[in-house]
Amino acid sequence: MNPQGNLHMTNILIVDDIEQNLYLLSQQLEGSGYTVVPAHNGVEALEIARKSPPDLVISDILMPVMDGFALCRAWMADEELCTIPFIFYTATYTNPRDERFALDLGAARFVVKPMETEDFVSLVTQVIQEVESGNLVTPRPTLEEETTYYRLYNEALIRKLEDKMLELESVNQVMEKDIQQRKETELRLRRTQERLQLTVQAGNVGLWDWHLKSNRVYYSPEWKSQIGYEDHEIGDNFNEWLERVHPDDLESLMQAIQAYIENPWPDYQQEFRFRHKDGSYRWILTQASLIRDENDAPLRMLGTHIDITRRKNSEVEKSRLLEESRRRLRYLETLHDIDVAIRSSLDFQGILNILLSHLVTQLKVDAADLLLVSHVQGSFIYAAGTGFRTHAPESANIPLGMSFAGQAAKERRVIYQTDAEGLQSDPGFARLWEEEDFKAYFGIPLYAKDELIGVLEVFHRSDLNPDQEWREFLQILGGQAAIAIDNALMYENVQRTNAALTLAYDATIEGWSRAMDLRDKETEGHTQRVAQKTLRLARTLIQDEEQLLNIRRGALLHDIGKMGIPDAILFKPDRLTEAEWEIMRQHPQYAYDMLASIEYLQPALEIPYCHHEKWDGSGYPRGLAGNEIPLAARLFAVVDVWDALTSDRPYRPAWSREKALAYIQDQAGKHFDPQVVDLFMRTVKENGGFLD
């Protein structure tokens, strides 16, 4: 008999780096009728979930690559996954503050091992029943601020390190009685310490441990790496730290440390400038805890070390966001060009050449080729290539499962190779590597309808250390290649191709809008809020889904023109001068100039271009009046003003709900379309949660 009864939610993703734990948990759940998918760390879990979302995820915390806390944070930040319940199941993090941190991240349950099989299966079934009955709303994370998350995350790491150090001291006393027991205990502690070290590495957190009596300091490899040094280049002297603090910060920092040692407070946290190996200064956030000996005297300070330079250097951050936006726009245009090629031509070779040309140009790599599966020959064969100095790739005939292409296909993941010594097992590939003078290789498996159709290979003749966005775009292009090949071979799949491209477009627009919000911390979240409310208001009048989609895109991009407004004007805390207003009023025109050349965004231009026009004709940039203003812009204008009035600004606090509603009613026939104001007020009255 199936103990789940008639439950529909049966697919569970379990995440643990220990095979025995995965096996035992799988046995418990599969024995109760559930379908289980295993993952060994957070990165692997996210990859599986994004391809095939589960009904529930159960995760350990202490794991390499990406631990459970980081997985939960990423899970709750993902719009597709955030509604899926998340359960922590751990034997390591047992402190009540660990549970509180987990629940603040958005977890539905926090379970401490061990638990009887019957009780654990019952708890899982209960969570699923609550979700299906609507009684459980997946908790939303409360840790929005990056610094708050890092503080709590670091505190959890420090607690674990403190526990392990105290455990080590206690065990050392016992080990004096039994040498064999000491060896076994040291082995267990070393493995635990290695796992903790992997977790710290995954979080890019440096550690330091200062012994106050000997004035010696342990600096972790991550600590040294953050300031540009190899592990062997820095010793354990306190002066190694002291001499690198910026002279202007040193006195106040030492005073804070001394005050904390004499009278500790709960949260020691300092920000200061620290000299990098290259001579530049980096902003560092350090958090610490004081450890006392058996006589309650200060013994050691144990702390973390995080580089926060990017957050501190606002101008650098602005330039990065602007360049990131431009790069995403180029990526978007590339996807659009490839889309046009796929939809307008059945020339298989032409489509492949266009795709590879765009890939090499946008990713700035030297060469690329496409290998297709030949089931008749049982091998990969060359289909197209660009950037090679020789004709060797054109004669490629690689047995399935062999070489790096075979490895990528077999493991269904991107293969990255930079080590020439690792090529010795494949003489043919090693010969190509040497003849072409390559230094880096990526192999991306291409699957269509879960069937392997080929491998996309990317080569570079110098060191290549791409960022995450580069890798993601490479994978998107890999997906594009698979779609293009499948489309040319199976023309009837063109509708699925267009749907996949639309998702890529909208994901890029979403990232673009978030980059805009991140530029201005005072209005962070504004774009998402007004987009959601405008769409809800528009649905009361418009049924056409394509038109609604363009309204949403326009709302997300409504302030894109402000990228062209100088910071001195955009973030000015006082009232703008008339000359400054003249510049500010240009941002709708900037938005139009930036987006009009992108064909698929043209239907979404009404809001970015017209949302500052007013019903009485006194708006800008064109002075439109009445029904000359597009309906989408008239709807958005009310929502935009509402959100601005009810949000804090540097020059004024947020208005009350009543005051803001009164203002909107007063502006009917002046700023706003009277019928839209009536619709807005009616929606507020009929749906009390509309304004939340």
Side-chain angles (χ1 to χ4, degrees):
M1 180 177 179
N2 185 349
Q4 299 176 65
N6 59 358
L7 294 178
H8 303 309
M9 300 170 62
T10 61
N11 297 315
I12 299 178
L13 175 63
I14 58 175
V15 193
D16 198 307
D17 62 322
I18 299 178
E19 288 291 346
Q20 183 178 4
N21 292 347
L22 287 174
Y23 174 79
L24 293 175
L25 197 54
S26 297
Q27 291 297 306
Q28 291 178 1
L29 295 171
E30 289 175 347
S32 298
Y34 292 102
T35 301
V36 174
V37 178
H40 297 84
N41 56 63
V43 171
E44 184 180 345
L46 286 173
E47 181 179 349
I48 292 171
R50 285 166 177 160
K51 290 181 180 178
S52 179
D55 299 316
L56 177 73
V57 60
I58 301 172
S59 176
D60 190 16
I61 296 178
L62 194 60
M63 298 179 291
V65 185
M66 176 187 282
D67 66 7
F69 286 145
L71 170 60
C72 186
R73 180 172 172 85
W75 193 274
M76 294 303 164
D78 191 302
E79 291 185 0
E80 298 295 328
L81 304 179
C82 64
T83 58
I84 299 172
F86 194 108
I87 296 177
F88 280 109
Y89 190 41
T90 180
T92 305
Y93 285 73
T94 58
N95 191 291
R97 287 187 287 175
D98 297 333
E99 179 177 359
R100 184 163 61 252
F101 181 40
L103 297 178
D104 286 343
L105 286 173
R109 295 286 193 281
F110 186 93
V111 182
V112 176
K113 302 177 185 177
M115 176 179 276
E116 292 294 329
T117 298
E118 183 178 347
D119 294 338
F120 182 73
V121 173
S122 176
L123 181 143
V124 171
T125 304
Q126 177 188 8
V127 170
I128 292 177
Q129 288 174 336
E130 289 177 0
V131 172
E132 291 194 333
S133 65
N135 293 328
L136 174 66
V137 178
T138 304
R140 299 299 296 161
T142 60
L143 301 178
E144 297 296 340
E145 290 294 332
E146 181 182 52
T147 53
T148 303
Y149 167 73
Y150 273 120
R151 178 176 62 80
L152 295 177
Y153 181 81
N154 292 337
E155 287 175 356
L157 284 177
I158 289 172
R159 286 198 298 273
K160 293 304 105 187
L161 291 172
E162 288 175 352
D163 292 343
K164 292 305 172 184
M165 289 177 181
L166 292 174
E167 179 184 346
L168 181 60
E169 291 177 1
S170 175
V171 169
N172 281 336
Q173 296 175 4
V174 176
M175 287 191 299
E176 292 176 358
K177 302 177 182 179
D178 189 336
I179 296 177
Q180 183 61 33
Q181 180 182 355
R182 176 178 180 177
K183 292 180 179 179
E184 295 174 356
T185 304
E186 284 179 342
L187 179 60
R188 289 196 302 272
L189 289 173
R190 185 165 62 254
R191 288 173 177 171
T192 301
Q193 201 167 32
E194 288 170 352
R195 293 179 65 203
L196 282 169
Q197 185 70 14
L198 286 172
T199 303
V200 169
Q201 291 172 350
N204 195 27
V205 178
L207 299 178
W208 51 270
D209 183 0
W210 178 22
H211 196 285
L212 300 177
K213 294 182 179 178
S214 66
N215 209 30
R216 296 291 178 181
V217 188
Y218 163 74
Y219 305 102
S220 73
E222 291 73 30
W223 186 97
K224 299 172 185 178
S225 175
Q226 285 184 10
I227 57 172
Y229 289 91
E230 298 293 333
D231 192 25
H232 66 276
E233 292 184 288
I234 294 182
D236 62 355
N237 194 294
F238 181 67
N239 289 332
E240 297 278 9
W241 178 86
L242 204 61
E243 66 184 14
R244 289 178 172 83
V245 177
H246 194 285
D248 294 344
D249 299 338
L250 183 58
E251 182 177 355
S252 61
L253 185 60
M254 292 304 297
Q255 290 175 352
I257 292 173
Q258 189 61 38
Y260 178 71
I261 293 173
E262 294 174 357
N263 186 22
W265 54 87
D267 298 312
Y268 174 83
Q269 179 174 302
Q270 296 292 324
E271 295 180 0
F272 55 92
R273 287 164 291 180
F274 207 69
R275 192 175 70 251
H276 192 272
K277 185 179 180 180
D278 63 12
S280 65
Y281 280 93
R282 309 293 174 90
W283 277 99
I284 300 299
L285 168 67
T286 188
Q287 296 173 295
S289 179
L290 185 67
I291 299 175
R292 297 179 179 275
D293 61 17
E294 64 276 6
N295 299 318
D296 202 35
L299 180 63
R300 301 204 308 270
M301 277 186 72
L302 179 67
T304 60
H305 181 281
I306 302 173
D307 189 332
I308 59 169
T309 305
R310 289 171 62 188
R311 181 167 65 83
K312 282 288 187 179
N313 297 336
S314 59
E315 283 303 313
V316 174
E317 182 70 354
K318 173 197 167 184
S319 298
R320 187 191 67 81
L321 289 173
L322 182 59
E323 177 57 31
E324 185 176 283
S325 297
R326 290 171 176 165
R327 184 170 63 250
R328 287 176 177 171
L329 182 59
R330 291 196 300 270
Y331 287 174
L332 192 63
E333 291 173 336
T334 296
L335 292 173
H336 178 65
D337 291 343
I338 295 173
D339 174 39
V340 170
I342 293 172
R343 288 188 288 108
S344 62
S345 173
L346 289 178
D347 178 6
F348 181 63
Q349 198 65 43
I351 291 174
L352 297 187
N353 290 337
I354 289 173
L355 190 145
L356 291 178
S357 174
H358 280 296
L359 182 150
V360 168
T361 300
Q362 294 301 327
L363 295 183
K364 294 179 173 56
V365 294
D366 293 318
D369 67 17
L370 272 164
L371 305 178
L372 298 185
V373 172
S374 171
H375 293 290
V376 175
Q377 300 181 38
S379 61
F380 293 106
I381 59 174
Y382 176 89
T386 184
F388 294 97
R389 295 170 178 170
T390 69
H391 296 286
E394 299 175 12
S395 60
N397 192 326
I398 304 169
L400 297 178
M402 301 299 290
S403 190
F404 293 105
Q407 182 183 354
K410 181 179 180 180
E411 298 178 9
R412 298 181 74 126
R413 67 180 180 89
V414 176
I415 298 298
Y416 179 39
Q417 179 65 34
T418 59
D419 182 10
E421 294 182 2
L423 309 177
Q424 302 309 313
S425 60
D426 188 348
F429 192 94
R431 185 166 53 254
L432 173 67
W433 186 276
E434 182 177 356
E435 290 175 353
E436 295 280 352
D437 195 29
F438 289 138
K439 296 293 189 299
Y441 166 89
F442 280 85
I444 304 92
L446 306 180
Y447 280 84
K449 296 189 286 266
D450 207 36
E451 180 179 353
L452 177 67
I453 59 176
V455 174
L456 171 63
E457 296 184 304
V458 175
F459 302 85
H460 201 52
R461 294 188 175 91
S462 59
D463 293 336
L464 187 62
N465 296 301
D467 58 19
Q468 185 62 29
E469 187 176 18
W470 188 98
R471 292 171 181 263
E472 290 174 356
F473 187 63
L474 174 61
Q475 290 188 304
I476 290 175
L477 287 179
Q480 285 284 81
I483 292 171
I485 295 167
D486 191 51
N487 177 69
L489 300 175
M490 302 285 290
Y491 183 72
E492 62 268 26
N493 289 333
V494 69
Q495 293 301 321
R496 181 174 62 83
T497 300
N498 289 336
L501 289 171
T502 299
L503 289 176
Y505 297 156
D506 287 342
T508 303
I509 293 172
E510 288 278 355
W512 205 351
S513 69
R514 288 192 178 93
M516 286 295 302
D517 274 358
L518 286 172
R519 185 187 179 203
D520 185 3
K521 291 296 183 180
E522 293 297 331
T523 62
E524 187 169 356
H526 165 75
T527 301
Q528 294 294 325
R529 292 194 302 271
V530 295
Q532 292 170 4
K533 286 184 174 64
T534 302
L535 193 60
R536 291 172 64 184
L537 193 64
R539 284 191 183 278
T540 62
L541 298 176
I542 301 169
Q543 282 73 48
D544 184 80
E545 287 298 322
E546 185 67 23
Q547 189 175 355
L548 290 170
L549 179 59
N550 285 320
I551 287 175
R552 180 176 183 275
R553 288 170 177 165
L556 288 172
L557 296 172
H558 75 278
D559 270 343
I560 192 67
K562 287 185 178 178
M563 295 297 288
I565 304 299
D567 281 359
I569 296 176
L570 191 61
F571 301 131
K572 184 176 180 179
D574 300 323
R575 292 185 179 276
L576 300 182
T577 66
E578 187 56 35
E580 290 170 335
W581 265 117
E582 284 299 318
I583 296 173
M584 178 66 82
R585 292 189 185 103
Q586 294 301 311
H587 80 266
Q589 185 64 49
Y590 293 161
Y592 180 85
D593 295 341
M594 181 182 294
L595 302 177
S597 62
I598 304 175
E599 183 178 350
Y600 93 97
L601 286 180
Q602 289 176 359
L605 276 173
E606 292 178 344
I607 291 176
Y609 195 26
C610 304
H611 70 286
H612 281 298
E613 302 288 358
K614 295 185 179 181
W615 183 258
D616 62 6
S618 63
Y620 60 88
R622 293 182 291 165
L624 302 180
N627 290 326
E628 293 176 341
I629 306 170
L631 175 60
R634 283 180 272 147
L635 292 168
F636 179 85
V638 176
V639 174
D640 189 35
V641 170
W642 162 263
D643 191 81
L645 292 176
T646 56
S647 301
D648 288 325
R649 290 292 186 268
Y651 49 84
R652 60 154 177 82
W655 285 18
S656 68
R657 179 176 297 195
E658 293 74 21
K659 183 178 179 181
L661 288 174
Y663 176 82
I664 287 175
Q665 285 184 306
D666 178 68
Q667 290 296 308
K670 303 172 188 175
H671 189 157
F672 307 123
D673 179 348
Q675 292 183 344
V676 172
V677 171
D678 290 341
L679 174 63
F680 181 83
M681 301 304 294
R682 188 165 63 251
T683 303
V684 170
K685 183 177 180 180
E686 294 173 356
N687 184 356
F690 174 71
L691 297 180
D692 296 333

